Amino acid sequence: MVYAVANQKGGVGKTTTVVNLCAYFGSRGKRVLCIDIDPQGNTTTGLGIKKKDLSLSSYEVLVGKARMQDVIIQTEFKNVSILPARNNLAGAELELSSMENRMNRLKMQLLTCKQDYDEIWIDCPPALGLLTINGLVAADRLVIPMLAEFYALEGLSQLTNTIKIVRSNYHPSLEIAGILFVMFDPRLNVSRQVEEEVEKYFPGKVFHTKIPRNVRLSEAPSHGKPVMYYNPGSKGAEAYALLGMELMGEKLPEKKRKLLVFGRKRERELE
């Protein structure tokens, strides 16, 4: 299964979601490939890869200068490989615009090694350009992380229009796997209101799991580690484990899910 994680707004947890889900699925015995097509390369550094040491990256793959198999790197984390990104990817949009099959270049490269992996996760840049469209065309399912803020609804509407265009012209079977709320605080009225609004327009597509604000989750990238390797007992690690279980169709432990949403003090009040 190939997943793209996309939202044209920055700071909504795309990279955090990709890094931590890849680590979780790898820990469960899945062979995982993480594809970084964001010029910032945060997924690459988040999995412990030093960009200055790279001679090849997703840029060379997309413009046809290298084969994907020759660029993929095995990370230090169990069963997780990555197609890394460097800053030179920022120029790929311009180059791709004049190339044949410019919307399908990632998909075509992926066909050469797709069978080697159980899970493939694509981290798209915070824009609705050719790089993101390549990610959407290559994916089977789409995960949309977002903040529970009213401004985020406008961005979701724009992304929905892009999905319609992709389905109409390039990939009719692209499916929305779910909408993921990150940095979620259920104590705020606006959080619940935005969740209800999204559920109204995307019934059944909002993940039950919400990712709470968590210090350890925000610290982990600076150490080049997914949070489950940095601090496995943190709320952030538990939240992404629950999300992984949800994606795998496993039953979520209700009490643990409440604990992640409300915090330990509030959980005691609910008991």
Side-chain angles (χ1 to χ4, degrees), residues 172-190:
S173 60
L174 177 64
E175 177 189 350
I176 296 177
I179 296 166
L180 174 67
F181 283 103
V182 301
M183 293 179 273
F184 188 80
D185 187 345
R187 297 169 299 181
L188 301 177
N189 288 333
V190 66

Side-chain angles (χ1 to χ4, degrees), residues 1-5 139-143 174-178 205 247:
M1 184 70 70
V2 182
Y3 290 87
V5 179
D140 302 306
R141 308 181 77 195
L142 172 64
V143 172
L174 177 64
E175 177 189 350
I176 296 177
K205 289 297 185 181
L247 281 161

Side-chain angles (χ1 to χ4, degrees), residues 36-42 44 51 58 85-93 123-127 131-132:
D36 192 352
I37 55 171
D38 185 344
Q40 298 176 83
N42 290 335
T44 300
K51 290 184 285 186
S58 54
R86 294 185 295 165
N87 296 340
N88 61 351
L89 187 59
E93 290 271 354
D123 185 17
C124 298
L131 291 174
T132 294

Side-chain angles (χ1 to χ4, degrees), residues 136-237:
L136 297 179
V137 171
D140 302 306
R141 308 181 77 195
L142 172 64
V143 172
I144 306 171
M146 65 177 290
L147 304 178
E149 300 173 353
F150 282 109
Y151 285 128
L153 294 174
E154 182 178 341
L156 182 60
S157 174
Q158 294 169 0
L159 179 59
T160 302
N161 290 334
T162 300
I163 294 168
K164 289 178 181 177
I165 293 170
V166 170
R167 283 173 172 166
S168 298
N169 297 288
Y170 310 107
H171 188 359
S173 60
L174 177 64
E175 177 189 350
I176 296 177
I179 296 166
L180 174 67
F181 283 103
V182 301
M183 293 179 273
F184 188 80
D185 187 345
R187 297 169 299 181
L188 301 177
N189 288 333
V190 66
S191 297
R192 294 193 295 271
Q193 290 168 359
V194 171
E195 182 184 5
E196 290 171 3
E197 194 72 14
V198 172
E199 182 66 47
K200 184 192 304 180
Y201 288 100
F202 298 91
K205 289 297 185 181
V206 177
F207 285 111
H208 294 295
T209 306
K210 310 292 190 292
I211 309 300
R213 292 186 183 273
N214 180 243
V215 173
R216 299 292 178 255
L217 194 57
S218 60
E219 289 175 349
S222 66
H223 295 269
K225 294 181 179 181
V227 71
M228 69 174 294
Y229 287 91
Y230 174 65
N231 192 316
S234 65
K235 285 180 18 177

